[in-house]
Amino acid sequence: MLGKLKNKIVKGDEKPDKVTTVKVCVVADEECPDGGYGWIICLAAAIIQFIILGIHNNFGILYTYFMNDLHAEPSDTAWVGSIAFGMNFLCGPITSGLCQKYGCRLVAAVGGLIAVLGLLLTSFTNSLYVIYLTYSVLWGFGSSLNYAPTMLVLSQYFKKHLPLANGIVTAGSGIGTLAMGPFYHVILSNLGWKMMLRILCGLGFLVFLSALLYRPLPAKYKRAQKTETPTGSKFFDLSVWKMKPFIVWVISMSLLFIGYFVPFIHLPNHARNLGVDGYQSSLLIGYLSIASTVSRVLFGLVLNHPRINRFYVLQFCFLMMSVTCTLCPLAQDYTGLILYAVGFGAFDGCFVLLIAITTSDIVGAGRLPQALGGLYGVIAIPMIFGPPLAGFIFELSGSYQNAFFVAGGAIALGTCTLSLIPFFMTDTKVVTVEICEEPLEKEDTVQDKTATACSAGRQRNSFIYDTSNFAMRRSLSCLALGRLGDVCGSQCILEMLERESDV
């Protein structure tokens, strides 16, 4: 087929003096160690997520004790956990700016001390309104100063192994959720929630020690990072908000997070309303975290393959999380609730793994801190209001069925919005093309013309409906939308030439 293209191009122009050639200059990725001491940082980040998200995700167990001991309404008590988890993300832009200016180690270390102070002060109060301040705001802000650096520091040290490193770190939160569930139940049953919070202060100090293991990049890598991030000196960089794919990504995530945190707070209480005892209901979050942990590690390995398109995997996870939440009310016994927890956790693990990676795929690694901070700040708002909304629906109807229906519907809307992202990726340039005039020898004319036509066709396809940013390198993973570009590119030309030669 290339021979036919060659004959068509050369025909009528046998002896040209000059030929326009196309030189493709691929912009090199930013340099990073992609291992080495990065694995120590990966372990430290996993420990921090083990503690931080282990405490956040098991608030549903503490929720019932707050509601009973403080004689509070379900919706009022749900605000405690939702604000705390929301603060973890709402302060994302501030945390990202601080990390850019002072480094991840200092920010995370200070955050560990603030988190310990919040837990300690909460253990000395009996007022729900004071708990809003000490647990929701203070502990939530301290955990935010620790959570965001666990994602940001990995993008500095890893490129090729970034999915695996993210899988290991996010698996820490899954294991922490699993381990904290039985721990919560034992301590709460024997010592009460105040003593449990004081014990958690000791784990908070371990967060401080782990943050000290973060180390800045060596000089040569730091220079490469600064070279590719011209806006890094700004505390708040708003340039990412000019990118349409990123805006659609934020909207999709905001819709999803209306229903995402509902199971973590209300599933144990939902199980108790169905007649499940307290210990077994606390294990449901553990089952969810087991599935989430295994999913993060497995998907971290699978997504390293160059033919796997991470965006399509993310879409599938969004869809299945919506389906599982919608089907949860059909589970009327403990076995059904376990199946729901395992199903939701399996797809939640991959989703959590892909948050930072997908954001990097959309905006580029150089803008990841600003983009991730902005994303966390926006999604914190629906995250804060989602669980109290579910609690309010429970108060009105006396059942969690409608609450889970609403949660599943919100995630479904996020899934639909997510599918729009590739259509806004048309402005993303993955290569630069340089045109120059060079004199060529006669015998090289045909060969260079052929290469010129093929290169031009391929480059044109790179600018049209390109989803290759979501794969490790261009491969079969971008065929679904990439074929639309082929219709307008070299493939169409070759097929037309073949039909003409047959006639």
Side-chain angles (χ1 to χ4, degrees), residues 140-199:
F141 178 66
S143 65
S144 175
L145 294 179
N146 279 277
Y147 178 73
T150 62
M151 296 296 184
L152 299 178
V153 73
L154 295 182
S155 65
Q156 299 175 13
Y157 274 85
F158 293 95
K159 179 64 178 180
K160 179 181 177 182
H161 301 298
L162 182 60
L164 178 58
N166 269 289
I168 294 173
V169 171
T170 55
S173 65
I175 299 173
T177 305
L178 169 64
M180 290 288 189
F183 172 77
Y184 266 47
H185 180 76
V186 172
I187 300 300
L188 289 171
S189 301
N190 295 281
L191 300 177
W193 61 269
K194 291 186 177 181
M195 184 59 66
M196 189 200 68
L197 290 175
R198 293 164 191 165
I199 295 175

Side-chain angles (χ1 to χ4, degrees), residues 342-354:
V342 171
F344 185 87
F347 298 105
D348 163 69
C350 182
F351 159 70
V352 172
L353 168 65
L354 286 173

Side-chain angles (χ1 to χ4, degrees), residues 29 56 149 258 325 421 490:
D29 293 333
H56 275 303
I258 294 176
C325 276
I421 291 179
S490 59

Side-chain angles (χ1 to χ4, degrees), residues 73-355:
E73 296 295 329
S75 58
D76 294 336
T77 311
W79 281 107
V80 177
S82 62
I83 293 176
F85 210 175
M87 286 290 295
N88 188 49
F89 292 92
L90 184 63
C91 299
I94 299 175
T95 303
S96 297
L98 291 174
C99 288
Q100 287 287 97
K101 188 173 183 179
Y102 300 107
C104 293
R105 176 164 56 184
L106 178 60
V107 173
V110 173
L113 297 179
I114 295 176
V116 170
L117 179 63
L119 293 173
L120 184 62
L121 293 177
T122 305
S123 67
F124 290 100
T125 183
N126 289 313
S127 171
L128 186 65
Y129 297 102
V130 175
I131 292 177
Y132 286 152
L133 177 63
T134 57
Y135 186 93
S136 301
V137 176
L138 201 58
W139 150 252
F141 178 66
S143 65
S144 175
L145 294 179
N146 279 277
Y147 178 73
T150 62
M151 296 296 184
L152 299 178
V153 73
L154 295 182
S155 65
Q156 299 175 13
Y157 274 85
F158 293 95
K159 179 64 178 180
K160 179 181 177 182
H161 301 298
L162 182 60
L164 178 58
N166 269 289
I168 294 173
V169 171
T170 55
S173 65
I175 299 173
T177 305
L178 169 64
M180 290 288 189
F183 172 77
Y184 266 47
H185 180 76
V186 172
I187 300 300
L188 289 171
S189 301
N190 295 281
L191 300 177
W193 61 269
K194 291 186 177 181
M195 184 59 66
M196 189 200 68
L197 290 175
R198 293 164 191 165
I199 295 175
L200 292 180
C201 291
L203 294 179
F205 187 73
L206 183 58
V207 170
F208 168 77
L209 297 179
S210 299
L212 296 179
L213 294 176
Y214 291 167
R215 188 175 70 182
L217 284 171
K220 58 178 181 179
Y221 300 121
K222 185 179 294 185
R223 284 198 301 268
Q225 188 84 4
K226 288 182 178 179
T227 301
E228 297 192 9
T229 314
T231 58
S233 59
K234 296 181 180 180
F235 190 82
F236 290 109
D237 180 19
L238 303 179
S239 62
V240 294
W241 294 101
K242 298 178 181 179
M243 305 176 66
K244 294 179 181 178
F246 177 69
I247 295 176
V248 177
W249 169 236
V250 172
I251 294 173
S252 175
M253 288 284 288
S254 300
L255 292 172
L256 178 137
F257 269 88
I258 294 176
Y260 172 76
F261 200 44
V262 170
F264 292 96
I265 287 185
H266 294 287
L267 184 58
N269 198 44
H270 174 51
R272 288 193 174 189
N273 290 337
L274 295 178
V276 180
D277 64 65
Y279 178 72
Q280 287 184 320
S281 63
S282 66
L283 291 179
L284 288 174
I285 303 298
Y287 292 132
L288 189 153
S289 66
I290 291 175
S292 180
T293 302
V294 174
S295 172
R296 295 174 198 194
V297 176
L298 292 180
F299 277 103
L301 296 172
V302 171
L303 292 173
N304 268 327
H305 196 280
R307 294 185 182 275
I308 298 296
N309 189 297
R310 297 189 285 261
F311 182 72
Y312 300 149
V313 175
L314 181 66
Q315 282 182 304
F316 180 72
C317 292
F318 266 52
L319 177 62
M320 295 310 298
M321 289 167 66
S322 171
V323 170
T324 52
C325 276
T326 306
L327 295 179
C328 178
L330 300 180
Q332 296 297 316
D333 56 11
Y334 190 58
T335 303
L337 293 176
I338 292 177
L339 293 176
Y340 161 71
V342 171
F344 185 87
F347 298 105
D348 163 69
C350 182
F351 159 70
V352 172
L353 168 65
L354 286 173
I355 292 177

